[in-house]
Amino acid sequence: MMKEIWTSLASVMGVLAFCQTLLQTAFPPELRYASSKLFNRIFNCFSSYCYFDITEIDGVNTNELYNAVQLYLSTSASIVGNRLSLTRALNSTAFTFALSNNDSVLDTFNGVTARWEHVVTQRQTQSFSWRPISDEKRGFTLRIRKKDRPVILDAYLDHIMDTATEIRRKNKDRLLYTNSRGGSIDSRGHPWESVPFKHPSTFDTLAMDPAKKAEIIKDLGDFADGQSFYQKTGRAWKRGYLLYGPPGTGKSSMIAAMANFLGYDIYDLELTEVSTNSELRKLLMKTTSKSIIVIEDIDCSINLSDRNKAGSRPKNKNTNTNTNLNLSAAAAADSTDQDGGGNTITLSGLLNFTDGLWSCCGSERIFVFTTNHIEKLDPALLRSGRMDMHIFMNHCSFEALKILLRNYLGVEAEEVEKQVLEELEEVTGKAEMTPADISEVLIRKRREKGRAVVELLEVLKGKAAEKNGKRGGGGAKGEKVVIDNEMMMMAMEEEEEQEKRALDSPKEGSELADDCSNKGDDDDDDEQTQTTTTTTTTTTRG
């Protein structure tokens, strides 16, 4: 019986082979191609679906849409395939999965269902190419209903590209950049050197008042999602933050938390390594979008003091003339720096860097300045548009203290004794300690949680008593402390004034010399008058 079945099957196969040979002989290839095309047209007319092929390689170039679709489908929640391929891209921190060969998946966009199929076939012929090509031909086939094509196709593809870009950004290792000395470039033509950014600071671990922290998070979120808003209002998609306050209050940790929250790279700009305004512009042009440009301790980097304070000197009859000459000299020096011939950057160059035309050469960038002395900065740096949000990083508050206890000791406020917690709340504000100082106390005793809290309370009480004594409480001793502080402040002000005069222009230096010369002449006149008076007195006595 089986032998008869196999014999019949072989006969049928032979007949089919003969018919195929006869058809190929009777019908030329052109006729067969036309028949196949006609059949496809008839099928498409009666079919309610349309199909789109997205190949991996478009000619000799890689099809970016193919990679975007692959990333997009890796996050689809409707994947039903039982066999998935796992991948990890270069400079990526996460694994992604994709459809395996000839598998399919359904996706929904705006209420419309789309079917994706990953088609993998063997290449028929190997064409000559300067780059190696895989033996397999890969691609995606998109199937949607014809009635939905004009409604979702363009919007759907744009959504896929945007989602893939966001996935790449989140999976990519964040980098910390610093500028090379003198604007020198590396082998790739970039003036920035980078290292992986691994700072663990987040807004959850940042020791800061929760209300202020929530305000900053909301502002950052509105900025990241505000592309349409900035385009509609005609503003450059950038924002400036000024972090100011005493040392050790967490300004650097705030920057790291902002970068981790947004997933941005950080460009740490060292102004002392920049010679001219043109170099500053070149550095800005080489920064990427979705980045944070940081200038730390701007009051110490270069001389950007308040111009109004610099001009507050005793007036004389030549004040107007000298002022005009000084302004002309400053304008000439500024013009020289703009042409790249100077040896230092100017205030106008920095302002153009943050808010000029060159600041619009990229998008979605944040400028962050930090300083310990905001009063030393020129008001031009502080206005809105350059520094949109001023964030005061104050001494540690009680709310921030509770965050530090949770971070370093793993202790919540509810776990601390009520009396100890009340005493901590009372003395934390009076002690005026920075989060860095409190962290050091907690780190030393982090293995003994109870003892660490008690020791912290003692340190806070000691600091509070010391601050109270310095403010004048304590009789004659307190008065002596106040007098010493006043003398020290006067000495510091005098030293700052001398440094400011030393940094003035040469013309101002000559003016100071003239003042000293006039003062010397006045002293000589006073000395001569005193001598005459002494002589007259001696004669009278005689």
Side-chain angles (χ1 to χ4, degrees):
M1 185 65 181
M2 287 297 298
K3 184 177 180 180
E4 293 179 358
I5 294 176
W6 283 109
T7 303
S8 301
L9 182 61
S11 300
V12 172
M13 294 293 294
V15 172
L16 290 177
F18 174 76
C19 292
Q20 182 180 7
T21 305
L22 182 62
L23 289 174
Q24 290 179 355
T25 304
F27 297 94
E30 294 80 4
L31 183 59
R32 294 198 305 269
Y33 175 75
S35 301
S36 175
K37 188 175 181 181
L38 178 61
F39 175 78
N40 290 332
R41 283 187 177 183
I42 295 174
F43 176 79
N44 292 332
C45 290
F46 290 98
S47 175
S48 60
Y49 296 96
C50 55
Y51 298 83
F52 302 91
D53 293 330
I54 303 173
T55 57
E56 180 183 16
I57 298 178
D58 182 14
V60 295
N61 299 319
T62 301
N63 189 356
E64 182 62 26
L65 183 57
Y66 174 87
N67 296 329
V69 170
Q70 193 170 28
L71 278 177
Y72 172 77
L73 294 179
S74 68
T75 61
S76 177
S78 60
I79 288 184
V80 295
N82 296 324
R83 190 179 184 88
L84 302 174
S85 60
L86 288 173
T87 57
R88 181 173 179 176
L90 184 65
N91 295 330
S92 176
T93 59
F95 293 95
T96 57
F97 60 88
L99 293 176
S100 60
N101 299 349
N102 301 317
D103 202 353
S104 62
V105 62
L106 297 178
D107 185 47
T108 303
F109 178 75
N110 291 342
V112 177
T113 301
R115 182 177 182 272
W116 289 94
E117 183 179 1
H118 191 208
V119 181
V120 180
T121 58
Q122 295 293 325
R123 293 184 182 275
Q124 297 294 334
T125 57
Q126 183 70 33
S127 59
F128 175 77
S129 176
W130 292 104
R131 52 179 294 182
I133 299 179
S134 174
D135 294 335
E136 294 180 340
K137 183 179 179 181
R138 301 182 183 91
F140 285 100
T141 299
L142 170 63
R143 189 192 72 175
I144 58 177
R145 292 186 179 274
K146 291 181 179 180
K147 64 178 183 179
D148 299 327
R149 173 178 177 176
V151 178
I152 73 158
L153 184 59
D154 294 338
Y156 187 38
L157 295 179
D158 291 339
H159 171 69
I160 290 173
M161 295 296 293
D162 294 340
T163 304
T165 301
E166 186 68 16
I167 294 173
R168 290 192 191 99
R169 184 180 63 84
K170 290 183 178 180
N171 293 343
K172 186 187 70 172
D173 284 336
R174 284 182 291 279
L175 300 177
L176 174 62
Y177 293 87
T178 184
N179 53 305
S180 306
R181 182 171 182 82
S184 60
I185 60 177
D186 59 10
S187 58
R188 299 175 299 170
H190 295 295
W192 296 94
E193 301 174 357
S194 64
V195 295
F197 180 71
K198 300 293 185 181
H199 202 293
S201 177
T202 63
F203 280 107
D204 292 334
T205 61
L206 188 64
M208 192 177 186
D209 183 68
K212 185 184 297 184
K213 192 188 303 185
E215 180 183 358
I216 297 172
I217 292 175
K218 184 178 183 303
D219 189 78
L220 291 172
D222 292 341
F223 169 78
D225 299 332
Q227 181 178 9
S228 59
F229 169 78
Y230 282 92
Q231 290 179 350
K232 181 178 65 175
T233 56
R235 291 171 57 95
W237 194 7
K238 64 181 183 62
R239 193 154 180 83
Y241 293 85
L242 176 66
L243 310 182
Y244 66 98
T249 51
K251 291 185 284 293
S252 298
S253 298
M254 167 66 77
I255 296 172
M258 294 169 65
N260 289 328
F261 175 75
L262 295 172
Y264 288 4
D265 293 333
I266 296 180
Y267 289 85
D268 186 11
L269 177 60
E270 182 60 48
L271 289 179
T272 56
E273 301 292 340
V274 183
S275 300
T276 62
N277 293 335
S278 60
E279 289 183 4
L280 191 62
R281 288 194 296 267
K282 292 177 182 177
L283 287 171
L284 179 64
M285 292 171 60
K286 291 296 183 178
T287 58
T288 60
S289 299
K290 298 182 182 294
S291 60
I292 300 177
I293 301 174
V294 180
I295 302 179
E296 293 193 278
D297 297 325
I298 188 173
D299 56 305
C300 302
S301 300
I302 56 177
N303 184 23
L304 297 175
S305 59
D306 190 344
R307 292 167 292 182
N308 297 327
K309 294 180 181 179
S312 58
R313 295 187 303 274
K315 296 182 179 180
N316 53 32
K317 60 182 180 180
N318 296 326
T319 299
N320 295 333
T321 304
N322 292 335
T323 301
N324 293 333
L325 292 175
N326 289 335
L327 290 176
S328 300
D334 195 15
S335 176
T336 302
D337 287 336
Q338 291 287 353
D339 295 337
N343 57 358
T344 182
I345 60 176
T346 61
L347 177 61
S348 62
L350 185 61
L351 296 181
N352 290 331
F353 177 82
T354 57
D355 195 30
L357 293 176
W358 290 99
S359 65
C360 306
C361 61
S363 63
E364 199 172 352
R365 289 186 300 195
I366 293 178
F367 293 88
V368 178
F369 288 179
T370 69
T371 179
N372 297 332
H373 306 281
I374 189 174
E375 67 279 358
K376 293 184 179 181
L377 299 183
D378 194 288
L381 279 170
L382 305 178
R383 74 168 180 83
S384 298
R386 291 177 181 133
M387 295 296 108
D388 303 289
M389 193 172 186
H390 297 188
I391 303 174
F392 179 47
M393 308 295 292
N394 202 354
H395 294 97
C396 187
S397 63
F398 178 65
E399 296 296 330
L401 178 64
K402 292 192 290 185
I403 297 176
L404 292 177
L405 292 176
R406 183 176 67 246
N407 293 343
Y408 291 94
L409 302 180
V411 175
E412 298 292 341
E414 295 78 9
E415 301 177 13
V416 182
E417 295 183 8
K418 184 176 181 181
Q419 181 180 357
V420 176
L421 191 64
E422 291 176 353
E423 292 180 357
L424 286 173
E425 184 176 5
E426 181 180 355
V427 300
T428 300
K430 299 178 182 179
E432 296 182 0
M433 291 182 64
T434 64
D437 295 333
I438 295 178
S439 300
E440 287 300 320
V441 178
L442 297 178
I443 288 176
R444 290 197 301 266
K445 300 295 182 180
R446 64 183 183 276
R447 299 185 184 279
E448 304 175 12
K449 300 179 181 180
R451 185 175 178 182
V453 175
V454 174
E455 183 174 340
L456 175 62
L457 179 59
E458 294 176 356
V459 172
L460 289 172
K461 287 182 177 179
K463 286 291 184 180
E466 182 181 349
K467 294 290 183 181
N468 188 30
K470 287 185 178 181
R471 286 172 183 151
K477 182 177 180 181
E479 294 178 359
K480 183 177 182 303
V481 171
V482 172
I483 294 174
D484 292 342
N485 288 339
E486 291 179 352
M487 294 179 63
M488 182 174 65
M489 292 298 296
M490 292 175 61
M492 292 176 61
E493 291 178 358
E494 183 178 358
E495 183 179 354
E496 291 181 359
E497 186 66 25
Q498 291 177 357
E499 292 179 356
K500 189 179 294 183
R501 290 178 180 176
L503 293 173
D504 285 341
S505 62
K507 183 61 184 178
E508 293 175 351
S510 61
E511 181 181 335
L512 182 61
D514 294 339
D515 292 342
C516 294
S517 177
N518 294 334
K519 184 178 179 181
D521 294 340
D522 294 340
D523 293 341
D524 293 341
D525 294 340
D526 293 341
E527 184 178 356
Q528 184 176 0
T529 303
Q530 184 178 0
T531 304
T532 305
T533 303
T534 305
T535 305
T536 304
T537 304
T538 304
T539 304
T540 303
R541 289 179 180 177

